[in-house]
Amino acid sequence: LQPFAAFPAPLDLHNLAVVLVSPRNPLNIGAAARAMSNFGGFDLRLVAVHGPSFREARSAVGPSSEIVRRARVFPHLADAIADCSLVLGTLAPHKRLPDVPFLPLTEAAAQVRETLQHSRVALLFGPEKTGLSNDSLSYCHAVAGIPARPEHASMNLGQAVAVCLYELSREMARTTPASTPDQPSPSAPAEHLDRITALLRDSLDASGNPVAEDQLRRLVRRLQIDTDDAVILTGFLRKILWKLQHPNTK
Amino acid sequence: LQPFAAFPAPLDLHNLAVVLVSPRNPLNIGAAARAMSNFGGFDLRLVAVHGPSFREARSAVGPSSEIVRRARVFPHLADAIADCSLVLGTLAPHKRLPDVPFLPLTEAAAQVRETLQHSRVALLFGPEKTGLSNDSLSYCHAVAGIPARPEHASMNLGQAVAVCLYELSREMARTTPASTPDQPSPSAPAEHLDRITALLRDSLDASGNPVAEDQLRRLVRRLQIDTDDAVILTGFLRKILWKLQHPNTK
């Protein structure tokens, strides 16, 4: 075994939001915060969190209690991810989904690292017992799976957060910065995509052909719309919707 | 984001012993076992474990309780690692030691994987508060560090076990053959894109807001629509356009 002393500086994760959807166990909230503190993430967001669980997690002390104390609570997932350009769900790898790209964690982490250089990224973890629901997954651009035994693929929440943040930071030694290839236009933040989804839904409603919103949400996310195009499309759909709602106005 | 469906088979860790030295918290013993169950390790060994902690961990149920129930308890570390050809300690990376080679986890894991093919390997984790003592470290061939923030490098025991086992199994993706990724959906042929462009143009015309067709064409091409989604979008836009053109028809 060769000694090796130069450890890479940990990744700057200030653009990363760790989003826990309906976490139930206060120890898991604390464990997620501890992993964030270890690996350098500080933006913890909780969606539809059980009140007593959150209060108990907040009352714990320790080096990561500041992260829990400053965590933001949102009633709905859409609000928690509104400012994020890439939303990545996590799921046991054998729970496949029809409509959302499913990536191994290693591949997904590469995308996250690239996006973190210019935009905010949300990493989503579902409730302990059930994982992310189909509705939550419809907000995701992709889903990452941590390779695990098919017989027992469901990880503990705090351990899953630790493994994901470790994977994000582990490649920093190899990739480091300086290589700035073509800047692709950053993907539109989720709130733009939600606006487009809502306009499409309302237009289809107004045309007498309602379509389920989660189906539209997944469609809009598959289109990979950048911010400029999101603004253009929103404008087009507003005009179309207005006309549908005011058919007889010139 | 490119879809990728073929997850690697998890590593065979049957030659790996996870050794917890004086663990105090029964939840951490359970968490270590859970990570082992997730990643395919089954040989848990406990050194100088606090009796009540072990009994409490044993009484827990769950998919990994079998691992805890079959765990072996040793009074001394030397006995716990007697059959192991490679003994790897773990430590926060900023606790350096004079006499033991210190490796980043990625490098250490490569050595472990190689040794596991023919011999038994022990992976050692110290007590929650103090980490491995100098005495325990003196039994190690090398020590692995998980890169973490210098301000808070000390990981939770269960999370440290999860990260180490994940690192051991993660490289299997590259070393195993026969991974056949899913074919990504082919991009829609141009005629589909032109149909969408025309429908968008006619809808905007019908709404009283004409937009130059070449602008729409470029927009539609930027969206990277695959064939399935092109069919869906075409259907939506047809319905919207029909209603714009027949506002007073039910």
Side-chain angles (χ1 to χ4, degrees), chain B residues 126-204:
Chain B
E128 289 91 339
K129 295 225 166 141
T130 57
L132 290 169
S133 67
N134 282 344
D135 184 63
S136 294
L137 288 164
S138 71
Y139 289 91
C140 297
H141 296 94
V143 175
I146 303 173
R149 284 200 311 141
E151 298 82 5
H152 185 199
S154 163
M155 288 192 71
N156 163 271
L157 177 55
Q159 289 175 315
V161 173
V163 164
C164 289
L165 297 185
Y166 168 73
E167 177 60 40
L168 280 178
S169 59
R170 104 181 257 294
E171 287 292 320
M172 294 307 279
R174 282 145 222 255
T175 50
T176 41
S179 66
T180 36
D182 268 9
Q183 294 297 330
S185 289
S187 296
E191 61 183 332
H192 287 234
L193 304 184
D194 287 340
R195 207 140 53 210
I196 290 169
T197 303
L199 285 163
L200 203 49
R201 177 201 61 204
D202 293 348
S203 297
L204 286 161

Side-chain angles (χ1 to χ4, degrees), chain B residues 98-132:
Chain B
D99 291 335
V100 187
F102 207 98
L103 304 155
L105 178 58
T106 50
E107 313 274 329
Q111 297 285 345
V112 170
R113 276 193 300 275
E114 202 181 298
T115 310
L116 282 176
Q117 294 175 18
H118 48 75
S119 309
R120 213 171 285 278
V121 175
L123 195 55
L124 263 58
F125 296 86
E128 289 91 339
K129 295 225 166 141
T130 57
L132 290 169

Side-chain angles (χ1 to χ4, degrees), chain B residues 39-59:
Chain B
F39 293 110
F42 300 97
D43 182 357
L44 177 61
R45 306 179 184 188
L46 302 163
V47 177
V49 63
H50 184 235
S53 301
F54 184 46
R55 280 192 292 277
E56 192 175 327
R58 270 198 151 163
S59 69

Side-chain angles (χ1 to χ4, degrees), chain A residues 1-8 10 27 31-42 63-64 86-88 93-94 96 101-108 111-112 128 141-142 144-163 166-167 169-171 174 200 203-204 206-209 211 215-216 218-219 222-226 229-230 232-233 235-237 239-240 242-244 247-248, chain B residues 1-8 10 27 31-42 63-64 67 86 88 93-94 96 101-108 111-112 128 141-142 144-163 166-167 169-171 173-174 182 200 203-204 206-209 211 215-216 218-219 222-226 229 232-233 235-237 239-240 243-244 247-248:
Chain A
L1 290 167
Q2 288 302 305
F4 181 101
F7 281 90
L27 292 174
R34 177 156 181 181
M36 291 171 71
S37 177
N38 289 143
F39 293 109
F42 300 97
S64 46
L86 175 61
V87 179
L88 185 72
H94 302 275
R96 294 290 169 79
F102 206 98
L103 304 155
L105 177 59
T106 49
E107 313 273 330
Q111 297 284 344
V112 169
E128 288 91 341
H141 296 93
I146 302 173
R149 283 200 311 139
E151 299 80 7
H152 184 199
S154 163
M155 290 192 70
N156 163 271
L157 176 54
Q159 290 175 315
V161 173
V163 164
Y166 167 74
E167 176 61 39
S169 59
R170 101 181 259 292
E171 285 290 320
R174 284 144 222 255
L200 202 51
S203 299
L204 286 161
S207 79
N209 300 280
V211 174
Q215 190 194 334
L216 295 174
R218 283 195 289 266
L219 171 70
R222 284 196 301 271
L223 298 180
Q224 302 180 31
I225 307 171
D226 70 25
D229 285 341
I232 295 170
L233 263 180
F236 289 169
L237 288 170
K239 288 166 181 167
I240 289 171
W242 193 90
K243 187 65 181 178
L244 286 165
N248 299 316
Chain B
L1 290 169
Q2 288 303 307
F4 181 102
F7 282 88
L27 292 174
R34 177 156 179 182
M36 293 172 69
S37 177
N38 289 144
F39 293 110
F42 300 97
S64 46
I67 292 174
L86 174 62
L88 186 71
H94 301 275
R96 296 287 171 78
F102 207 98
L103 304 155
L105 178 58
T106 50
E107 313 274 329
Q111 297 285 345
V112 170
E128 289 91 339
H141 296 94
I146 303 173
R149 284 200 311 141
E151 298 82 5
H152 185 199
S154 163
M155 288 192 71
N156 163 271
L157 177 55
Q159 289 175 315
V161 173
V163 164
Y166 168 73
E167 177 60 40
S169 59
R170 104 181 257 294
E171 287 292 320
R174 282 145 222 255
D182 268 9
L200 203 49
S203 297
L204 286 161
S207 78
N209 302 279
V211 174
Q215 190 194 336
L216 295 174
R218 282 194 295 268
L219 171 71
R222 284 197 301 272
L223 299 181
Q224 302 180 34
I225 307 170
D226 70 24
D229 285 340
I232 295 170
L233 263 180
F236 289 168
L237 288 170
K239 288 167 182 167
I240 288 170
K243 186 66 180 178
L244 286 164
N248 299 316

